[in-house]
Amino acid sequence: HAKEQGKNNYQFYSAEMNTRVFERLSLETSLHRAVKNQEFMLHYQPRVDLRSGQICGVEALVRWNHPEMGLVSPAKFIPLAEETGLIVPMGEWVLRTACAQNKAWQDAGLPPLRMAVNLSARQFRQENLIEMVEEILMETGLAPQWLELELTESLVMQEAEKSAAILRDLTDRGIEVAIDDFGTGYSSLSYLKRFPIANLKIDQAFIRDMTRDPDDATLVKTIITMAHGLGMKTIAEGVELAEQIDFLCRHQCEEMQGYYFSRPVTAEELGRLLAEGKTLDLSPVHVDPRDR
Ligand code: C2E
Ligand code: MG
Ligand code: MG
Ligand code: MG
């Protein structure tokens, strides 16, 4: 009896494993096709200046418009794209599309914005990164100061010397670098100071709890203070509540990004937000007077 059950279990797991392998394979196959057929699109999430309340930049976030599955989240396919190397052609498409879109907004007479583009490890390490970026800027006519590249902490920390050289090359060309998801890696701010980094994006996990959890509040305050001391600006990501805006303003965080102001939207929708001059209402809402 036990033997029979064991056999069944084995078959069960094996079938499940097959399904997973199959799913992965089919995802990989369709990812190849997606690169070829240009099934990707970009959404843009505004970044808002916390002093003026105005949109000062956007982050380009890739979406996969799968013919059967619909919109697939990057969390599902970026790791696979990274593993298979497909991230390189996909990333080049993202960069070109984002730069071209930013130039198109500028040409339409909208206030100039910084376009932030995420780079994965493999893209950052690709041999011809600098040439690729320069070529795209030339092709699209976008001035380098309107492009910003987002890299994660751990990515920069690997092979620190090499990273520093690439970052210097980018900075020398007028392209700013931001550290994404800051606080989740293992680096210290003083260590980061050795790299030419303009902006720190405070990870949304800290932002989410900072008005409830005193430890997260301390962490966010410390990151902002130290970043300023080292000549960097801070951007809060994942801002969803008015009280978070208030906290960030009190502690002189420069910019915010999050659902509270806007979800990532299509290029047309972002164009509309810009044209209508949508701003963040900075009148204090949930202020605790003891904290002022
Ligand atoms: P990320 O760069 O840290 O982007 C922020 C993520 O948080 C985005 O998820 C965004 O939609 C989401 N988000 C923004 N505001 C809020 C908020 O208020 N609340 C919550 N809960 N979430 C918010 P998304 O678009 O699913 O992207 C996930 C990750 O995929 C990105 O994290 C980035 O690491 C990666 N990614 C996206 N696009 C690209 C790309 O073009 N290239 C590369 N290499 N990676 C990308
Ligand atoms: Mg990012
Ligand atoms: Mg992030
Ligand atoms: Mg993230």
Side-chain angles (χ1 to χ4, degrees):
H1 189 69
K3 197 176 167 189
E4 214 172 281
Q5 216 171 30
K7 195 175 156 203
N8 280 339
N9 276 344
Y10 170 74
Q11 279 174 344
F12 173 72
Y13 286 123
S14 145
E16 192 182 72
M17 260 166 56
N18 276 333
T19 312
R20 239 181 290 144
V21 168
F22 177 75
E23 272 173 5
R24 208 199 111 106
L25 271 176
S26 76
L27 192 64
E28 196 177 323
T29 311
S30 44
L31 197 56
H32 272 280
R33 191 204 52 213
V35 171
K36 225 174 50 201
N37 298 359
Q38 311 244 315
E39 290 169 18
F40 299 110
M41 65 180 294
L42 294 184
H43 279 182
Y44 300 92
Q45 187 176 37
R47 273 195 196 176
V48 178
D49 183 308
L50 282 171
R51 254 175 258 172
S52 67
Q54 279 171 352
I55 300 175
C56 56
V58 287
E59 178 175 9
L61 294 157
V62 72
R63 301 286 179 261
W64 180 7
N65 202 351
H66 189 283
E68 287 107 46
M69 291 191 282
L71 279 195
V72 184
S73 131
K76 290 228 174 79
F77 67 89
I78 295 276
L80 188 58
E82 178 79 8
E83 252 178 78
T84 54
L86 282 168
I87 193 81
V88 172
M90 192 206 85
E92 193 172 331
W93 177 86
V94 168
L95 192 64
R96 180 172 291 108
T97 306
C99 289
Q101 182 59 66
N102 203 19
K103 183 66 165 66
W105 282 325
Q106 291 183 5
D107 289 348
L110 296 165
L113 303 173
R114 232 171 336 125
M115 172 66 71
V117 176
N118 294 283
L119 284 193
S120 72
R122 195 129 163 189
Q123 291 174 274
F124 183 64
R125 302 275 171 224
Q126 84 190 77
E127 218 38 76
N128 59 344
L129 175 71
I130 304 292
E131 289 79 4
M132 196 256 288
V133 174
E134 283 205 301
E135 203 181 291
I136 287 176
L137 288 175
M138 272 224 310
E139 245 174 67
T140 58
L142 185 72
Q145 80 256 33
W146 303 115
L147 175 65
E148 177 171 325
L149 298 175
E150 294 191 5
L151 307 164
T152 61
E153 225 177 317
S154 49
L155 187 163
V156 170
M157 291 306 150
Q158 288 158 23
E159 302 182 90
E161 285 311 307
K162 263 197 204 159
S163 299
I166 302 171
L167 295 186
R168 269 194 303 275
D169 274 352
L170 289 167
T171 310
D172 286 348
R173 285 163 174 79
I175 300 158
E176 286 194 347
V177 173
I179 297 295
D180 206 352
D181 306 337
F182 186 79
T184 57
Y186 297 96
S187 56
S188 69
L189 271 169
S190 62
Y191 193 76
L192 271 186
K193 178 56 193 159
R194 301 214 235 136
F195 301 94
I197 289 160
N199 300 312
L200 288 186
K201 295 190 81 173
I202 308 168
D203 192 72
Q204 48 189 72
F206 306 116
I207 305 299
R208 188 175 55 228
D209 297 327
M210 74 188 172
T211 51
R212 280 175 283 145
D213 181 337
D215 291 340
D216 285 340
T218 304
L219 237 143
V220 171
K221 284 189 258 184
T222 308
I223 291 174
I224 295 171
T225 308
M226 286 186 67
H228 291 170
L230 296 170
M232 301 175 203
K233 290 200 217 163
T234 50
I235 299 150
E237 51 176 14
V239 176
E240 295 183 355
L241 305 168
E243 63 196 46
Q244 293 166 342
I245 303 275
D246 220 70
F247 183 99
L248 294 165
C249 287
R250 279 205 309 278
H251 296 99
Q252 272 97 50
C253 178
E254 279 83 358
E255 293 175 29
M256 70 72 88
Q257 185 180 335
Y259 295 170
Y260 182 77
F261 184 76
S262 168
R263 285 180 177 259
V265 294
T266 61
E268 295 81 66
E269 276 176 82
L270 198 96
R272 270 199 292 278
L273 294 182
L274 290 174
E276 77 192 28
K278 176 175 166 151
T279 54
L280 175 69
D281 181 9
L282 289 170
S283 56
V285 190
H286 299 283
V287 193
D288 180 343
R290 289 164 304 177
D291 237 12
R292 271 278 175 197

